[in-house]
Amino acid sequence: MRPRNTRKSEITILEEGFTARDFMEEIITGDCQIDKDAFLVADLGDVVKKLLRFLKTLPRVKPFYAIKCNNCRPIVKLLAELDLIVPARQKLHWSRNLELNLTISFMQTPVNVPYQVCSQMMTFDNEVELFKISQNHPNAKMILRLLADDTNATIRLNVKFGAPLTICRHLLETAKKLNVDVIGVSFHVGSGCSDPKTYAQSIGDARLVFEMASELGQKMTLLDIGGGFPGTDDSKITFEEVADTINDALDLSFPEISGVNIIAEPGRYYVASSFSLAANIIAKKVLSPPELCGEENGRKKNMVYYINDGIYGSFSCSFFEKTLVKPIIYKKPSPEQPIYNSSLWGPTCDGLDKIAEHLHIPELNVGDWLLFNNVGAYSMVTASEFNGFQLPKIHFVMPHQTCVFLLSENVQCC
Ligand SMILES: *Cc1c(COP(=O)(O)O)cnc(C)c1O
């Protein structure tokens, strides 16, 4: 997948002590915001922090980036540059050609690979794929994608991909007969996985597949533990909890002396919390239950708000993921203000364009701003200009201290 050509993707370096949120507020209050268009602020410092946290918490795992999650050019470029600071022990010494456009199932591009490079490494989970590879790509390095239990994930992937353990021996035998090189095992526990035990289970399963291969005289060298890591700190489980379970499972099934290269391909983890959206109320409707009158009627009013971004734009992920969207009211309401049952809608003419309902919030007005955090994953990539509404502008910002850090690491970003 190529990085998206963001219309305007210059990066603003923030002054010392100035945060991405301050930058957002400055735009909201500034004179240039006459149109009150919705806009996004992407905090590149947050992405850097996430990568450093990954390296510290999962020291044996080399993190790649699942570009499909957010392909904005500054994000992809930053992660590519950051690969320079991945410690040597987490670097891979084998072929870096991971991008693929041949088979339907694929791994993600490592952060440091030019997009044009065609892939050697591909995943497979069935026999037909092996026949196809043996005929078309004799040099392929194949990775067997194992079925994982993703019932606790926000987005399930194993309904579509993954070989059950029971057919793995047969697949490995077939590969051997066809002279197809199988170098390792991958799995994906589903995006937004909320149960760390799933990783432990899959790592244990992968161990069994490694043993099957060695019984057939093949030495596998790669374990890919996929993605699924939480992207925000208000998720059901923290990244550290997931990492603890993974580290224990790896030490048990793939201890360092096994010599197996361990990689992951997080998407959501890096980018979910780095993007925030500011949207403006463009219309409002007050619904009063007809059977009530007087004061009671006033209290039972339902509020309907329309804002200038929606399910076809920056909230496209919430449509797929059925996540609860929680707006932050920019102008702090006073605690005495009455609360109304309210719903929030996008600007298009589609009745599906409902962002949130049953919000219990004070009365808002046309022109008020609402802020939304954690909109970086699987949102811009699936957004469209349906109904003629332009996608919001993205402001990429880099906090001062991030810039200082990157320069000290010789990463060319500022
Ligand atoms: C989508 C995807 C990822 C990234 O998943 P996240 O849950 O966003 O971390 C990683 N690997 C594969 C094969 C994928 O399809």
Side-chain angles (χ1 to χ4, degrees), residues 25-71:
E25 295 191 3
E26 193 163 86
I27 297 181
I28 288 177
T29 51
D31 301 337
C32 50
Q33 197 58 19
I34 309 159
D35 300 336
K36 299 197 168 181
D37 287 341
F39 64 93
L40 291 143
V41 174
D43 180 359
L44 297 177
D46 195 63
V47 178
V48 176
K49 275 194 216 144
K50 285 288 188 60
L51 176 70
L52 297 177
R53 187 169 160 194
F54 192 104
L55 297 175
K56 185 166 153 242
T57 322
L58 283 173
R60 294 189 53 209
V61 185
K62 155 102 178 168
F64 286 62
Y65 176 47
I67 295 178
K68 79 167 191 291
C69 179
N70 181 324
N71 61 345

Side-chain angles (χ1 to χ4, degrees), residues 13-19 22 398-401 404:
I13 311 289
L14 302 179
E15 282 169 35
E16 202 168 349
F18 205 68
T19 64
D22 297 334
M398 173 89 77
H400 178 81
Q401 71 272 28
V404 172

Side-chain angles (χ1 to χ4, degrees), residues 66 68-69 106 108 145 188 191-192 227-229 265-268 378:
K68 79 167 191 291
C69 179
F106 49 87
Q108 305 291 337
R145 178 149 170 186
H188 194 305
S191 200
F229 310 97
E265 30 184 22
R268 178 188 304 278
Y378 304 107

Side-chain angles (χ1 to χ4, degrees), residues 3 15 23 57 60 79 85 101 119 127 130 142 161 172 182 198 215 229 255 294 365 376 384 390 392 402:
E15 282 169 35
F23 181 86
T57 322
R60 294 189 53 209
L79 284 169
I85 62 169
N101 30 40
S119 182
E127 220 176 36
L130 283 176
M142 299 304 288
F161 300 117
L172 292 172
V182 182
T198 319
E215 281 159 28
F229 310 97
N365 292 302
S384 81
Q390 271 188 5
T402 311

